[in-house]
Amino acid sequence: MEQERISPPPKKRKLGLKITIGVIFLLIIGAGAYGFSVYNSVAGTLQKTHEPLKRSESEQRVVNLANGDPISILLFGVDQREGDRGRPDSLILLTANPGDKSIQMVSIPRDTYTEIIGKGIKDKINHSYTYGGVDMSIKTVENFLDVPIDYYVEVNMDGFKDLVDAVGGVTVDNTLDFSYERADFPVGQLELNGEEALKYSRMRAFDPQGDIGRQERQRKIIQAFIKEAVQIETLTNYGSILEVIGDNVKTNLTFEEMKEIQANYAETRHNLEQIQINGSGKEENGVYYYIVPEAERTKLSETVKKHLDIQ
């Protein structure tokens, strides 16, 4: 599915990083690779990040992580603001299927016009977070895609640059010469700090391939980050990485569940498919919305259900 090229809304998108939440998720589930020496530190940090959902057992789908059941995780990249809970700049539905060793990542445009479950109105999908936090957002996305969501990972996106800095920066092979927000990115191998990685990942306007080009740069940042995160040298700075995670991540995953995922789902990361949602931009009374046709929504729902082995 390719995204229709449309003009973005006039207001500036502060981050727009669809993939960086997945980076942090992969860091968390990869914690097992660092061994017993940091076990207690990891466990303590992940206790700090744990925040269960407010839903009954009947609303919770039963999955067996030990058996490798396919799972779904809603990833939030939240632009937090002083005085309120903020709103997601990025919404990604990640599904992992150990059976075919694959991950699908559905990027949900934050301006998608849909029913807000629990509010009784239609609005931008990311406003569900503003109205009712993670719980209302999950119910809204479940309704929009007609698929169950098992887990969530919420990340304060301001912490991403600190995470990149904590692993000592990243190195990427850049193929497009451009400048963005007072930073220059010439063709060739680039060593980027956290702030530069953010800028490198979010530029779209000057890329001839638009969103496709931006996604490619985001993949490079992910791959470079994971490469740095699993280096032995990174162990010396693991305390800083854990501190950033503890301060910027919330999830309903427990430490035990994360260890199960690390043990049984690690191979899925080698086959990653990114899916964009086809739609078109529309303005009503000066407000920008992203309109997804019903046929597209149904097709996408069937794709996700197939990956989750749901009939």
Side-chain angles (χ1 to χ4, degrees):
M1 299 181 186
E2 296 182 351
Q3 185 173 11
E4 181 178 336
R5 294 292 301 278
I6 59 174
S7 299
K11 66 181 181 180
K12 180 180 179 181
R13 296 181 181 271
K14 287 185 65 179
L15 293 171
L17 277 171
K18 297 191 292 281
I19 305 302
T20 52
I21 314 163
V23 174
I24 296 172
F25 170 73
L26 289 172
L27 177 67
I28 292 172
I29 67 172
Y34 292 99
F36 186 75
S37 62
V38 293
Y39 181 94
N40 289 335
S41 296
V42 173
T45 296
L46 297 180
Q47 274 189 334
K48 185 178 177 181
T49 67
H50 187 243
E51 192 166 298
L53 291 170
K54 300 180 182 68
R55 59 183 180 185
S56 64
E57 288 188 13
S58 63
E59 296 175 302
Q60 177 69 51
R61 188 172 76 116
V62 177
V63 293
N64 191 321
L65 298 177
N67 288 345
D69 289 350
I71 58 173
S72 59
I73 304 170
L74 188 59
L75 309 171
F76 296 84
V78 178
D79 173 20
Q80 294 184 339
R81 306 169 185 184
E82 189 174 348
D84 66 29
R85 61 164 54 101
R87 63 190 59 182
D89 249 9
S90 301
L91 273 173
I92 304 170
L93 180 63
L94 179 151
T95 55
N97 188 323
D100 60 12
K101 299 181 180 179
S102 67
I103 287 176
Q104 288 183 349
M105 297 178 74
V106 179
S107 299
I108 305 172
R110 67 178 191 176
D111 298 315
T112 300
Y113 188 67
T114 190
E115 181 181 357
I116 308 299
I117 302 303
K119 193 68 178 177
I121 61 172
K122 284 193 171 184
D123 202 342
K124 297 183 180 185
I125 199 164
N126 73 332
H127 285 185
S128 60
Y129 183 93
T130 305
Y131 294 133
V134 166
D135 294 275
M136 186 174 289
S137 287
I138 286 178
K139 290 178 180 178
T140 297
V141 174
E142 284 181 328
N143 180 72
F144 175 66
L145 293 177
D146 191 27
V147 295
I149 294 173
D150 304 311
Y151 304 105
Y152 80 91
V153 177
E154 175 190 341
V155 179
N156 174 8
M157 294 302 286
D158 283 341
F160 173 70
K161 59 181 180 293
D162 297 328
L163 196 56
V164 172
D165 288 334
V167 299
V170 295
T171 301
V172 297
D173 184 16
N174 183 40
T175 57
L176 177 68
D177 186 359
F178 68 94
S179 297
Y180 185 68
E181 294 187 348
R182 300 181 181 178
D184 298 322
F185 300 96
V187 171
Q189 193 172 82
L190 304 179
E191 295 182 3
L192 307 176
N193 61 27
E195 189 68 35
E196 291 166 339
L198 275 176
K199 294 177 180 180
Y200 182 78
S201 298
R202 69 184 181 184
M203 190 281 290
R204 179 180 65 175
F206 307 119
D207 194 316
Q209 297 186 85
D211 244 5
I212 295 175
R214 179 169 63 174
Q215 290 165 18
E216 176 62 28
R217 279 180 278 110
Q218 290 170 344
R219 283 194 293 269
K220 288 181 180 180
I221 291 293
I222 283 182
Q223 292 163 353
F225 175 85
I226 294 173
K227 181 179 179 181
E228 295 297 333
V230 299
Q231 296 299 315
I232 294 177
E233 292 82 357
T234 304
L235 280 171
T236 61
N237 203 31
Y238 201 73
S240 298
I241 298 173
L242 290 176
E243 183 178 354
V244 173
I245 291 175
D247 290 342
N248 293 283
V249 176
K250 292 295 180 186
T251 178
N252 64 329
L253 281 159
T254 65
F255 186 34
E256 293 302 317
E257 288 171 329
M258 290 180 190
K259 288 192 296 180
E260 291 277 14
I261 291 173
Q262 192 277 329
N264 301 312
Y265 294 73
E267 292 302 310
T268 63
R269 72 182 187 273
H270 298 304
N271 184 10
L272 172 63
E273 179 186 4
Q274 297 184 58
I275 300 174
Q276 300 296 319
I277 301 180
N278 240 345
S280 58
K282 179 181 180 181
E283 284 198 13
E284 289 187 5
N285 300 320
V287 179
Y288 176 90
Y289 297 101
Y290 191 73
I291 309 299
V292 179
E294 186 62 26
E296 170 71 7
R297 189 166 70 112
T298 300
K299 181 180 178 182
L300 180 61
S301 177
E302 292 172 351
T303 298
V304 176
K305 286 178 178 177
K306 182 178 179 180
H307 197 239
L308 288 173
D309 291 343
I310 295 175
Q311 300 300 323

